[in-house]
Amino acid sequence: MIENNAQPVLRGRQFLHTPGPTIIPDRILRAMDRPALDHRGPEFLAIARHCFAGLKRIFRTEHPVTMFPAAGHGAWEAALANVLSPGDRMVIAETGAFSTWWKDMAEALGIEVDSIAGDWRHGADIAAIEAHLAEDRTRAIKAVAVVHNETSTGILSDAAGVRAAIDRVGHPALYLVDTISSLASMDFRMDEWSVDVAIGGSQKGLMLPPGMSFTAIGPKALAASKTSRMPRNYFDWAAVLPDGKTPTLPWTPPEPLIFGLVEALAMLEEEGLDACFRRHARLAEATRRAVGGWGFALNALEVSQASNSVTAIRMPDGHDAEAFRAACLARYNLVLAGGIAKLQGTIFRIGHLGDLNEAMILGTLATIETALAATGVPHQSGGINAAIAYLAED
Ligand code: PLP
């Protein structure tokens, strides 16, 4: 018997536009769907070696890239616990919620953090970092940490610019970069930018499920890990990089994620990293055109700092971004991300990273415009037309 359901059933694919987890391509889902292997046997070890080599190309580094089965938070903790000791001082640029959580973690580990203040609407304040390091005449500061793409604000920091500032002052601090939401979606160059520790995650540009974190370890950071006195065990780099060169998987690894990673690397290599960055830039620009067309403001006050992996949009005054997001989900099965911490309710975010094309972003932008009209949020019509015009001309 067919009855009317009180709760409408949502059909079709859910449009997942959080900036991680991102849409997992069917190819990756299929690649993960296979029986387990002996993780110490030759077949699996060859797969792991292939992944470690591919990850170096994604981080643009000649240094080893290690893995921990963990959320990005795990790699954050590992980085701090391996290069610093309790009581050490470090600098973290405040860019938004993620940089704040990284700072909180460092403090919980007994590290003294000098936070370089930010307003959550700009990238890391490079001049302030430089001035702060210049004042550190005794060279007490052991590390500088920056979140390359602050997912919570939709703002990209100039990671190469921070390195240049450290060098101008001639400061020996290690340089740690969180590239969790920029890796494989925006330009990141570990070696060219002399980054000492770079941290990535599986669930963003790499198009995999959450659960795996990646750490690229430069020689200065590796040397620091030999003398660090921070208690650690699971997260000890010596366990995943015993000879300092060849990454290993000393525990039982999450094999499906690694099978998926083989496919993700194949997809990125087929496309080419630079082409992948251009695709992200183009879809992000189409999104920004739509935002301008609606008459809305970006959270980024400098358009040049607006992220190509996630766009954060200010909700018109008097309208709640959370209610708007809830309507998008309930009516149209479209998932947008909300504001975090002090930005909750005032912004909504469109994740546009990973396996995405024009049809997908246009579908999303058109659905947002529909939802704005349906929920009575004042806006100019034509945002979608602006996005279409941009994509058609480019
Ligand atoms: N850093 C950035 C920039 C992020 O976007 C995230 C997660 O979204 C994290 C760190 C934390 O990663 P996880 O949630 O996997 O611990």
Side-chain angles (χ1 to χ4, degrees), residues 37-238:
L37 292 174
D38 168 15
H39 66 289
R40 304 206 191 282
E43 188 179 354
F44 188 77
L45 291 179
I47 292 173
R49 272 197 301 277
H50 172 84
C51 288
F52 287 126
L55 284 167
K56 287 168 67 155
R57 293 190 284 276
I58 305 298
F59 279 86
R60 291 191 153 152
T61 186
E62 290 304 318
H63 307 310
V65 182
T66 59
M67 301 183 197
F68 283 110
H73 276 70
W76 267 0
E77 182 157 339
L80 298 172
N82 279 276
V83 301
L84 296 167
S85 299
D88 275 354
R89 254 175 87 192
M90 73 179 293
V91 162
I92 298 188
E94 179 193 2
T95 46
F98 288 103
S99 71
T100 304
W101 288 330
W102 203 6
K103 172 180 90 62
D104 293 347
M105 177 186 273
E107 288 175 343
L109 294 175
I111 297 161
E112 206 184 301
V113 181
D114 301 343
S115 179
I116 304 295
D119 63 0
W120 296 34
R121 300 198 69 181
H122 290 90
D125 185 342
I126 295 179
I129 295 173
E130 184 170 345
H132 193 81
L133 292 176
E135 275 169 27
D136 177 34
R137 303 206 195 288
T138 61
R139 302 308 196 217
I141 294 168
K142 296 284 184 277
V144 174
V146 169
V147 174
H148 186 207
N149 184 67
E150 182 46 87
T151 323
S152 67
T153 62
I155 294 174
L156 185 74
S157 285
D158 177 1
V162 173
R163 163 46 75 194
I166 299 171
D167 290 350
R168 273 196 297 277
V169 177
H171 201 291
L174 293 169
Y175 184 30
L176 321 182
V177 179
D178 167 336
T179 177
I180 289 182
S181 61
S182 52
L183 192 70
S185 59
M186 282 177 284
D187 194 15
F188 176 77
R189 305 173 193 203
M190 162 108 180
D191 290 1
E192 202 178 310
W193 300 347
S194 300
V195 173
D196 296 300
V197 183
I199 294 165
S202 53
Q203 75 272 28
K204 312 262 182 184
L206 284 168
M207 307 170 284
L208 295 165
M212 185 71 101
S213 62
F214 308 103
T215 315
I217 305 172
K220 272 173 65 188
L222 189 65
S225 72
K226 310 277 187 226
T227 55
S228 147
R229 286 173 286 98
M230 190 75 78
R232 56 183 190 266
N233 180 281
Y234 178 72
F235 284 132
D236 196 342
W237 286 348

Side-chain angles (χ1 to χ4, degrees), residues 302-388:
E302 304 280 348
V303 170
S304 63
Q305 297 182 344
S307 166
N308 286 340
S309 65
V310 52
T311 296
I313 300 151
R314 308 288 293 191
M315 201 69 183
D317 284 345
H319 291 268
D320 177 18
E322 291 305 291
F324 178 66
R325 280 192 332 113
C328 288
L329 176 60
R331 291 177 187 233
Y332 309 117
N333 208 6
L334 168 67
V335 187
L336 301 174
I340 303 177
K342 69 180 181 188
L343 291 177
Q344 192 176 27
T346 57
I347 64 166
F348 68 91
R349 296 175 297 145
I350 308 173
H352 36 70
L353 72 164
D355 189 38
L356 214 67
N357 62 23
E358 287 81 353
M360 293 156 93
I361 198 72
L362 286 173
T364 299
L365 296 172
T367 306
I368 291 173
E369 192 163 320
T370 308
L372 290 171
T375 58
V377 177
H379 66 285
Q380 297 162 21
S381 62
I384 186 67
N385 295 344
I388 291 170

